[in-house]
Amino acid sequence: MADWRREAARAAEAERDDAPHEDEWHDLGEVIGTEDGGLAVDLRGRRLGRLHDIRLAGSDGPRGGAAVPVGARLHHGVLWLDDPGPLPSECARVWARWTGTRDECDTLVRTLRRADFAPLADRLADGRPDRAYGDPYGACFLPGVRLIWGPPGTGKTTLLAKAADELAGSGKRVLFLTGTEQALSVPADPQRLAVQQQLAALSAQERRLAELDHTLAGFDHAAFLAVEQRIANHRRAHLLEPEFAKASQEHDVTAKELAAARQELRTARAAWDEVAEQRELLAESRTLTARLTTTESDIARLSERLHRRFYRGRRADRKALRANEKRRSELAERLAECGGRALTEERAAELDRALADAHRRLDAAARDEAHAYTSLEYLRGKIAQLRSVGAPSTQDQRFHAECVRLELPDLHDERERLRAESDERAARRGRLEERLWWLGDRAYQRRRQAGSGLLTRASSLPELEDGELFDVVLVDDAGSRRLAEVLAAVALARHTAVVAGDFGSPGPRVPPRLRERPEVRRWSVPTAFAHCGIRKPEDAEEHPGCHVLTTQYRFGDAVRMLADHLGVPTMSGDGVATEVVLLDTGGQPARHATVAAAMPLGDTAVVAPHRTAAATWATAARDRLDIAVGTGRTVCGQEFETVLVDLTTDDWSARTRAFVSAVTRPCRRLYLLADLSAVRAAAPGTPLGAIEALRRDGALTVRPAGELLIPQPRQAVERSARDGDQPAHIS
C-alpha cells in the first residue's frame, strides 16, 4: 500500500481514537404531535450521523420495553416520522442507531487499507487530477478523476445529482456522496401491526391501572365498607321496624286466639265432665242392650229346638231356657232402670264433637301463636343485631355520599381486577416485546441487505464488502470534507471520479488538539482543492484538472456584493433578486421567541454563529418546526426562501467563511438581525463591516426590528380577527 494510504489511515485512526465512545442507541427526544396529526422530533442544533434504524420506545431504551420500528425523514433538523401504526403509550421517545464519528473513521480506515489498486486516488493524492476539458457535466461521464469548483449557488449539487441519475439509468453503478436529506422506510408488516395492537391494549390497561392508583390514593376501601355496612344496617333496621310492629300485632292476635281456644276447650271439657254419670249409664245401657240382644237370641234358638221331637239333652236345653228367660228379665229390668237416667245418644255425640273441635282449634291457635312468636323474636333479634354496630354519624353519611359520587368503590373493584391480571399481563408483555423486537430487527436487516440499487446516495462513506467498487464516484461538498475521505471515496471508483465543491466553504471539522499531528495536518485538515493548490478563483481557473462553474442561480447582486466585501468571490447571476434587510435591534437584546414567531411561513432558516446560539434559537422556535435552525457550517449546501442571520453578537468575526455560507443560503430574502450602531462602528473586512459597506452602497434596507417584531395591541388583533385578517408575519 502506498505511503499516502498508510498516513491517511493513521490520521483517521487518530480521529477515531480521539472520538468519545457512544452507546449503540441514542435518545433523540420526545415525540411531538403536530396540528395535522403528524409525529416529529425536534433535532435542530444537534449533530447526527447517518441513520440506520429508528424505534419508538420508552425512557429505558429499545431493549428496556416495547420498541416500535418507524420510518422517518430528516428535513432541516426535524425528524418527521411515518405513521407507526398502533402505538403503546410508553413509546413516546425516539431512539436511533446511527454511524457516529468513531464508526465513520473505522469505515474510512478500512476503505483506505483495502485500496490496494486505486490509480484515480493515486493521481489525486499526487495533486495531479486528469485534465479537465469539455463542460463540467460531461466530466461525470469521462474516465479519470477531475475537480469542479463553483461558488455558492452555482448548482454543483444539482449537476451531480442529474449526472448520477443518468449514469444509474444507463446501468452504471454510482456512489454519490452528498449532504442529502436522510430518509428511512419501514414496510408495513401485518404481523408487527398485530403485535403492536396487542401491546397498545396492554399499555392501555397498565395506564388505566396507574390512573386508578392515582385516583384512589388515600381512599380506604375497608373504612368505606365499614361505613357502608353501618348505613346499610341502619337502613335495614329502620325498614324492619314496621315489620316488627306488624309481627307484634299478629302475635297479639294469635295469643288472644290461643287464649280463646283454651277457654273453649275448658268449657267443652267441663260440659263433658258434668255428664260423666250419665255417660256411664249410657255405656251400661249399651252393654245391657247388647247382652239382652244376645239373651233374646239364645232364648229364640232354645225355644226353636224345644219344639222339635224329643232328643237327647232336651232337659238341659229347657233348663238353659229358663235361665236365659230369667236373665232376660233381670237385664230388661236393669236396662229400664238405666235408661231412665242415661244420656241420650244425640247429646253424647254432640258433647264429643264439641270437645274434639275445641282440641283442634286449640292446636291450630297454638301453631299460629308459635309461628307469630318465632317471627317476632327473629325480627327483634335482627334489629338488635343491626343496631349493635352503631348508628352512622353525619360524617359517615358525607364520606359515603362523596365516595359514591366519585364512583370510588367501582374504581376500586376495577383496580383490583386489573391488579389480579398483572402477572399474566407481564408475562404476555414480555413475549410480545421480544416478538416485536425480532420483527423490527428483521426489517432492519432486510433494509441493510436490500441496498439502494445502482445508485447509492450517502452523506459519508458507506460500509462495503471487500473488493466492492463503483463505476463512478461523485463527491459533493468537497470544500468541507477531509482529504482522506475524498481520497477513500475516489479509491472506490473503477473508471470515473468527480470531486465538486467550494474552497470557500467551512473546512473540515477536526479537533484542534489533533491538528499538530503530521498525518492529521496533511490528510484531514486540508481539502482536495487545497491539496491540489486551489485556494482562490484564479487557481481554479488556471488549474488544468479543475472545471469552473461560472453562473450562480440562487441569490442576487446584494448578496454577491456582501460576499465580495469579505474577499469571497462569487459569480454573476441570472437576474435573481434577493432582498437584503437589516433589522436594527437598537441595542436591545434579541427576543428570540418573538422573532421566531414573526418569521414567514414556509422554507425559512435562522443561522446563528455557533452551536450555543443555535440551541437558543432552536428552543425559541420549538413551536415552529418549519424553521430550520443551524450554523453556517450545518446549513452549508442547503438553500431557503428566507434566511435570518443572527448578528446580535460579534461571534462571526472569526467565522468569515461560515458567515458567507450563511448569507448565500437564501433565494428571496435575507434578514440580518443586528444593532445598527455596532454595524456602523465595525471595522472593514469583518462581517459587520461588510454589512456597513453594503448599507453605504444603498444595497440593503434598514428597518427597526421593533416595528416588525412587537406583537400587535390586543385591540388590533381582535379587530383584525373580526375582519378575517391574520396577524402579520415578517414580509
Side-chain angles (χ1 to χ4, degrees):
M1 185 173 61
D3 291 340
W4 72 265
R5 293 172 174 79
R6 287 197 298 268
E7 291 184 7
R10 286 200 300 269
E13 289 171 344
E15 291 192 62
R16 178 197 62 192
D17 296 339
D18 182 74
H21 288 275
E22 296 181 340
D23 296 331
E24 179 186 10
W25 288 97
H26 302 266
D27 185 2
L28 301 186
E30 191 169 354
V31 175
I32 302 171
T34 59
E35 294 181 355
D36 58 356
L39 299 176
V41 59
D42 190 355
L43 302 176
R44 291 173 295 184
R46 292 186 60 173
R47 296 183 61 191
L48 301 181
R50 190 167 68 250
L51 296 172
H52 299 300
D53 194 7
I54 300 175
R55 307 283 177 102
L56 287 169
S59 56
D60 293 333
R63 293 307 285 159
V68 177
V70 60
R73 177 176 59 89
L74 183 63
H75 179 66
H76 293 338
V78 178
L79 191 67
W80 297 94
L81 306 180
D82 298 339
D83 181 9
L87 200 62
S89 59
E90 68 272 15
C91 295
R93 302 191 71 82
V94 179
W95 294 80
R97 283 191 284 202
W98 66 48
T99 301
T101 302
R102 297 181 68 89
D103 297 325
E104 290 181 356
C105 291
D106 275 335
T107 302
L108 178 55
V109 170
R110 283 193 294 271
T111 304
L112 289 170
R113 294 194 181 279
R114 292 171 182 170
D116 294 327
F117 180 74
L120 299 182
D122 289 336
R123 291 203 291 273
L124 184 61
D126 290 339
R128 296 182 295 103
D130 294 293
R131 178 172 294 277
Y133 57 90
D135 62 281
Y137 185 74
C140 302
F141 299 85
L142 296 176
V145 55
R146 293 169 181 84
L147 304 177
I148 298 177
W149 171 75
T154 51
K156 300 179 292 296
T157 303
T158 303
L159 181 148
L160 295 182
K162 181 180 178 181
D165 291 336
E166 184 174 348
L167 286 164
S170 64
K172 303 293 185 181
R173 191 156 187 254
V174 182
L175 172 62
F176 183 20
L177 292 187
T178 180
T180 183
E181 292 182 349
Q182 299 193 59
L184 292 178
S185 62
V186 176
D189 185 347
Q191 297 182 51
R192 176 172 53 80
L193 294 178
V195 172
Q196 290 178 210
Q197 183 64 56
Q198 296 177 63
L199 282 171
L202 293 178
S203 295
Q205 292 179 344
E206 292 164 1
R207 185 174 66 254
R208 177 60 177 168
L209 181 58
E211 292 174 355
L212 292 174
D213 286 337
H214 177 74
T215 302
L216 296 173
F219 173 63
D220 189 343
H221 189 62
F224 171 80
L225 291 179
V227 169
E228 185 177 51
Q229 189 65 44
R230 284 198 295 272
I231 294 175
N233 289 348
H234 180 73
R235 185 180 296 113
R236 179 62 178 158
H238 181 72
L239 294 175
L240 288 178
E241 287 178 355
E243 294 186 29
F244 179 77
K246 181 179 179 181
S248 179
Q249 293 176 357
E250 290 178 355
H251 179 259
D252 291 343
V253 171
T254 56
K256 289 178 181 180
E257 291 177 352
L258 178 61
R262 285 173 177 169
Q263 182 60 39
E264 183 182 359
L265 180 61
R266 284 194 294 269
T267 301
R269 187 176 292 280
W272 196 75
D273 290 341
E274 286 179 359
V275 293
E277 183 178 357
Q278 288 86 344
R279 285 200 316 276
E280 291 177 358
L281 292 176
L282 179 59
E284 185 178 358
S285 295
R286 291 170 180 167
T287 301
L288 291 174
T289 300
R291 291 172 63 185
L292 182 60
T293 301
T294 301
T295 302
E296 289 288 350
S297 176
D298 289 343
I299 291 173
R301 179 176 54 78
L302 291 173
S303 296
E304 184 180 359
R305 288 179 62 183
L306 289 174
H307 284 88
R308 296 176 181 178
R309 54 185 178 85
F310 294 98
Y311 58 88
R312 182 182 293 180
R314 182 179 178 83
R315 181 178 293 182
D317 288 342
R318 186 179 294 117
K319 183 178 180 179
L321 179 61
R322 286 194 296 272
N324 283 327
E325 289 176 346
K326 183 179 178 179
R327 186 179 303 114
R328 183 177 62 185
S329 298
E330 293 175 350
L331 290 173
E333 182 181 356
R334 180 60 184 165
L335 181 60
E337 182 181 353
C338 292
R341 294 183 300 153
L343 191 67
T344 63
E345 289 290 342
E346 292 78 5
R347 179 58 179 168
E350 180 182 353
L351 291 175
D352 288 341
R353 285 196 301 271
L355 183 61
D357 291 342
H359 274 291
R360 284 194 298 272
R361 282 192 289 273
L362 178 63
D363 291 342
R367 287 194 300 271
D368 292 344
E369 190 276 339
H371 178 73
Y373 178 78
T374 301
S375 299
L376 179 65
E377 290 304 311
Y378 170 77
L379 291 174
R380 189 194 310 278
K382 188 65 175 178
I383 292 174
Q385 178 188 4
L386 293 174
R387 288 177 173 170
S388 64
V389 298
S393 63
T394 304
Q395 183 178 0
D396 289 342
Q397 298 282 0
R398 288 199 300 266
F399 170 71
H400 183 271
E402 184 67 10
C403 290
V404 172
R405 185 184 69 83
L406 297 175
E407 300 181 346
L408 298 182
D410 294 338
L411 297 179
H412 176 271
D413 294 341
E414 183 183 359
R415 180 177 68 173
E416 293 305 306
R417 177 180 59 80
L418 291 175
R419 281 181 173 177
E421 299 170 353
S422 295
D423 292 342
E424 180 183 353
R425 275 200 311 274
R428 189 174 173 215
R429 170 176 281 278
R431 295 192 297 269
L432 290 174
E433 287 176 353
E434 284 302 315
R435 176 67 175 169
L436 179 60
W437 175 260
W438 181 84
L439 291 171
D441 213 43
R442 183 181 67 175
Y444 165 65
Q445 296 296 339
R446 287 178 176 176
R447 187 168 59 247
R448 289 189 62 185
Q449 295 169 4
S452 56
L454 293 175
L455 176 57
T456 299
R457 294 175 183 264
S459 58
S460 60
L461 287 172
E463 184 67 38
L464 303 173
E465 300 293 335
D466 289 343
E468 189 173 359
L469 296 175
F470 297 87
D471 296 316
V472 179
V473 172
L474 306 177
V475 180
D476 188 20
D477 194 25
S480 298
R481 295 182 185 273
R482 299 170 180 82
L483 173 60
E485 181 184 3
V486 174
L487 289 172
V490 173
L492 296 174
R494 288 193 181 93
H495 309 301
T496 303
V498 175
V499 178
D502 176 19
F503 51 75
S505 301
R509 184 185 295 275
V510 179
R513 55 185 171 275
L514 299 179
R515 288 178 176 270
E516 297 305 317
R517 300 184 64 163
E519 63 274 15
V520 173
R521 188 168 60 249
R522 183 173 183 185
W523 301 104
S524 294
V525 174
T527 65
F529 292 103
H531 184 70
C532 293
I534 301 174
R535 292 179 173 83
K536 55 184 183 295
E538 294 79 8
D539 297 336
E541 293 171 356
E542 296 173 0
H543 198 286
C546 182
H547 290 281
V548 176
L549 299 179
T550 58
T551 304
Q552 70 85 19
Y553 305 94
R554 182 186 302 144
F555 46 82
D557 293 337
V559 175
R560 282 195 294 274
M561 292 171 61
L562 187 59
D564 290 340
H565 283 303
L566 290 171
V568 178
T570 58
M571 297 296 180
S572 60
D574 60 352
V576 176
T578 303
E579 181 185 6
V580 180
V581 180
L582 173 63
L583 298 178
D584 179 20
T585 63
Q588 299 298 318
R591 291 173 291 173
H592 298 81
T594 306
V595 173
M599 290 293 289
L601 301 174
D603 196 10
T604 306
V606 174
V607 185
H610 45 71
R611 283 185 291 176
T612 302
T616 302
W617 280 104
T619 301
R622 60 183 177 272
D623 296 329
R624 289 288 306 273
L625 296 181
D626 60 314
I627 297 178
V629 178
T631 64
R633 179 183 295 274
T634 60
V635 300
C636 182
Q638 304 180 52
E639 67 176 42
F640 306 90
E641 285 292 312
T642 303
V643 172
L644 183 141
V645 180
D646 180 11
L647 291 141
T648 53
T649 62
D650 197 24
D651 296 321
W652 289 103
S653 297
R655 300 178 173 88
T656 302
R657 294 172 67 179
F659 175 76
V660 174
S661 175
V663 298
T664 55
R665 297 304 104 199
C667 300
R668 179 184 174 195
R669 185 179 294 108
L670 171 64
Y671 288 113
L672 303 170
L673 185 64
D675 179 13
L676 180 58
S677 60
V679 171
R680 286 174 172 169
T686 64
L688 291 181
I691 296 174
E692 171 61 14
L694 198 64
R695 186 190 68 82
R696 288 197 304 267
D697 293 340
L700 61 76
T701 304
V702 179
R703 301 170 66 180
E707 294 182 2
L708 299 172
L709 306 179
I710 295 176
Q712 301 179 48
R714 183 183 303 275
Q715 294 83 358
V717 174
E718 292 175 351
R719 183 168 57 253
S720 65
R722 289 195 301 270
D723 296 339
D725 297 330
Q726 298 297 325
H729 292 279
I730 298 176
S731 60

